[in-house]
Structure formats: structure tokens, C-alpha cells
Amino acid sequence: MAEQLGAAVIGLGMMGERHAAIWRELPTTRLVSVYDIVPERTQAVAEACGCEAAGSLEAALDRPDVDLVSVCTDDGRHVEPCLAAAAAGKHILLEKPLATSLQDCDAIIAACASAGVKLMVGHVVRFDPRYAVAQQAIAEGAVGEVIQVYGRRNNILDSGRRIAPRTSVAFFLGVHDLDLMRWFVGAEAVKVHAEAASKVLVDVAAEDSIMALLKYENGAVGCLETCWAMPKGIPCTLDARLEVIGSEGMVRVTVGDEGCTVISPDRASRPDILYGPHLRGEQHGALRAQLEHFADCVRLDREPLISPRDARAAVELAVAIHESLRTGAPVYL
Ligand SMILES: NC(=O)c1ccc[n+]([C@@H]2O[C@H](COP(=O)([O-])OP(=O)(O)OC[C@H]3O[C@@H](n4cnc5c(N)ncnc54)[C@H](O)[C@@H]3O)[C@@H](O)[C@H]2O)c1
């Protein structure tokens, strides 16, 4: 293997563009090729990053100097690029969620296992130090037996308008906390019951808000709140919490005021500090840490922090939430 790993990126929207920039900037990797089904996107990102603008998925992957691939296509379009990357023998960093059905999850996991390539799903919040330190405290016994867990992830309506026609708030936002809550509780959920409201995104037949109650196999209860209908006047576009109460203590993570507010004559805003701030011409924060971690796992043959089983479990819960919304009844897992 070369000193620097070669990377390709498939799907060059908001996330793919960031992955491409980070693979170009990391000292352990270099960006080799990019591909989007929209040729102008491919061309624009390739020019900005100085790499090959591939004319097809196969052309992006079929290069011996590509070791790993970021798949950053829409939630419901992860399968085709992942199966192609696995068949080409490339390690895969896939944007969350793993897929939007369990059949698709299993197809991706099986393809990677039989090709012998690493698969990590980018549950980037695990690389946010606030959540990572909180989880470590729980794992070290700080809260004792977990009694309850509460996860919130609310975003502005612009995000709902951009994404809702192609996925759901449970798959796009909720899946982060379904993963984190399971990580924090350290047990599988056995029962899920969900309710939803649809008032502003009703024109695209999408839920604005989903709330779900979960029961875990260790007896803990959980509550998920996820919404993408907050007004864009809110200073921070992401409002997230994670709180665990246990027999010996509690842990709380609060996202929304990272200690930097930019104030203009008519508006105050809180810029992203932790996930992907662009500073001194480079990407920083949790997303960069996630990509660096995956490259290290490939270089040093280590197990990634997020296993395919973890990523599948989060999707299983999102699928159960939608099943509960459809039937109005709890889903037993
Ligand atoms: N980790 C995070 O915090 C985070 C944040 C936002 C989005 N995401 C995830 O990243 C993924 C992409 O989201 P986004 O916001 O960048 O979406 P986006 O709509 O901005 O970009 C998706 C891109 O994929 C391209 N595409 C679709 N199908 C393709 C295919 N078969 N081959 C090649 N290109 C294809 C589209 O043309 C588009 O340019 C989603 O799975 C989403 O859930 C993760």
C-alpha cells in the first residue's frame, strides 16, 4: 500500500464535497477521483480539488490507486455505489444511515464481508468529543444502571425543505440519536412506539416531527425527539440534547451554544464549531476526525469505531418507528 491512501468520493452534494476536501487535506490520504450522477457537480468538485472527474461510477472505482471510497449519495441510494465499491475491493466509508431498509442494509454488509473490505457508516456524532466523553463516563460507571435516556435532534425548516422529499426525519436526523442512545444505554431496544406531526411539510407528504418511546432489553426507557421544522431565525440551526439518568448519577450533553455568537444589526447566529468549521483554509472538527479515523483503520488494519452491526441497529429502529407510525401500534423487536 502506498504511503498515502488513495480516496474516491461518490455523490458530491453537501457531504460529498466535504469528504472530498478532507481526503485532499489529510496527510495520510490523497483524493484521486470523484463522481456524481450530475456531470456538472463532478466537474466542479474535481476542478476545485484537483482530481479526476470520473465519467461513471465504474471509472471512479476501477483504479488501482484508489484504496477507499466515501459514499455520500442520498439516503435511499446507498446500495448501488456500495455494492460496486465492494466488488472493486475498496474499503467503504458510507454516510449515515446505512440504508433505508433492512434488506438494503444486509445487501451492503454481505457484499463488504464477502469482498473482505472494511465498512464504516459515518455516525459522525460519535466523533463529537462531548458525546464521546459522556459515553465513556457511562461505560466507566458514572451513572450506575441506566434508567432513562432522552435524545433530541431538531433542525431548521430549510433542512426539511431540502431533504424531506427524499428521506424522512427519522432516517436523516433521528438515526444519529437512535445510534447514540443505544451506545449510551449499552443494550438493544425491544419495543418502539412512535407518533408524528405533519403540518408544514404536508405538501411533500413528510413528517415535520417524530417522537418515539423505546424500551430496552435491560429495562431502561428511552425517548427520541426529532424535528426539522424549527424557524430559521434560531441562532443555532441544530438543537440537540442527550441525557441519561441512572441509579448513581446522570450525564447531559447540550448542543446549540458552543460559546461563539456572531451578531449583526438584525440577527445573532452561532456558527458550527464542532462538526465542520472551515479554518485557515482547511476542514476541522468531528467530520475530519471521522475520516482520519477510518483512514487509520485501513492503514493499520484496525476495527472501525462504528461496526456494521451498530449501523444496522440504528436503521432497524428507524424502520420500526415508521412501522409504528403506519399501524399506530408499538413494534416489538
Ligand atoms: N453525517 C452528517 O452529519 C450528515 C449531514 C448531512 C447529510 N448526511 C448524509 O449524507 C448523504 C448525502 O447527503 P447530502 O446532504 O450531501 O445530500 P445532497 O442532496 O446534497 O447530495 C447527494 C448527491 O448525491 C448525488 N447522487 C445521487 N445518487 C447518485 C448515484 N447513484 N451516484 C452518484 N451520485 C449520486 C446527487 O446528484 C447529489 O449531488 C445522505 O445519506 C445524508 O443522510 C450526513
Side-chain angles (χ1 to χ4, degrees):
M1 199 174 282
E3 222 165 83
Q4 282 185 315
L5 296 173
V9 180
I10 310 300
L12 301 168
M14 190 186 90
M15 293 310 289
E17 198 169 6
R18 289 178 170 195
H19 280 239
I22 294 171
W23 293 133
R24 184 171 62 87
E25 290 159 9
L26 284 177
T28 53
T29 61
R30 63 194 184 89
L31 183 66
V32 174
S33 60
V34 292
Y35 170 70
D36 194 286
I37 40 169
V38 179
E40 297 76 31
R41 286 296 305 153
T42 310
Q43 208 58 48
V45 176
E47 268 169 33
C49 292
C51 70
E52 186 208 348
S56 68
L57 177 59
E58 292 68 30
L61 299 172
D62 193 16
R63 295 183 52 138
D65 53 351
V66 168
D67 302 292
L68 58 85
V69 179
S70 282
V71 174
C72 303
T73 49
D74 306 83
D75 289 3
R77 304 176 90 170
H78 286 177
V79 183
E80 185 203 355
C82 285
L83 297 195
K90 313 301 181 188
H91 302 286
I92 300 171
L93 176 57
L94 168 60
E95 265 303 339
K96 49 49 62 175
L98 173 51
T100 51
S101 75
L102 292 176
Q103 293 93 308
D104 286 352
C105 288
D106 292 338
I108 294 171
I109 292 171
C112 291
S114 75
V117 297
K118 292 189 193 295
L119 167 67
M120 186 175 98
V121 176
H123 284 278
V124 69
V125 189
R126 287 197 186 208
F127 292 88
D128 177 334
R130 296 169 294 194
Y131 287 89
V133 169
Q135 190 276 337
Q136 188 171 284
I138 293 169
E140 289 170 359
V143 306
E145 285 278 306
V146 176
I147 298 168
Q148 73 165 47
V149 58
Y150 165 73
R152 176 201 291 178
R153 191 155 303 267
N154 294 338
N155 216 319
I156 55 170
L157 184 57
D158 286 14
S159 163
R161 281 267 165 243
R162 185 176 83 88
I163 298 286
R166 295 176 276 156
T167 181
S168 82
V169 69
F171 281 113
F172 191 75
L173 293 179
V175 79
H176 282 296
D177 298 273
L178 292 168
D179 172 58
L180 295 166
M181 290 159 74
R182 175 178 173 271
W183 195 37
F184 279 42
V185 174
E188 302 296 342
V190 289
K191 183 180 173 189
V192 178
H193 186 193
E195 296 287 347
S198 179
K199 292 179 188 269
V200 290
L201 293 170
V202 64
D203 53 332
V204 287
E207 297 88 5
D208 305 325
S209 165
I210 295 178
M211 300 220 183
L213 288 179
L214 296 94
K215 180 86 184 181
Y216 292 89
E217 62 188 345
N218 63 359
V221 287
C223 176
L224 171 77
E225 170 191 334
T226 189
C227 172
W228 48 18
M230 291 198 305
K232 73 173 169 193
I234 193 163
C236 182
T237 57
L238 175 67
D239 177 15
R241 300 273 185 284
L242 211 141
E243 186 176 280
V244 171
I245 299 177
S247 57
E248 312 289 331
M250 64 188 283
V251 165
R252 180 182 293 156
V253 177
T254 315
V255 177
D257 183 355
E258 329 302 9
C260 174
T261 307
V262 178
I263 303 165
S264 60
D266 57 359
R267 183 155 191 248
S269 66
R270 300 210 175 107
D272 172 29
I273 303 289
L274 278 133
Y275 289 93
H278 198 251
L279 295 170
R280 300 175 295 278
E282 288 200 347
Q283 300 277 321
H284 291 264
L287 188 65
R288 180 184 168 111
Q290 173 183 273
L291 269 64
E292 200 165 21
H293 167 76
F294 187 67
D296 286 348
C297 289
V298 171
R299 279 188 318 116
L300 307 169
D301 194 21
R302 291 184 183 155
E303 283 306 307
L305 173 65
I306 300 140
S307 70
R309 181 165 168 260
D310 294 331
R312 187 189 189 279
V315 173
E316 187 177 22
L317 294 173
V319 168
I321 283 171
H322 280 289
E323 180 62 9
S324 175
L325 291 178
R326 194 182 65 77
T327 63
V331 172
Y332 294 86
L333 299 159

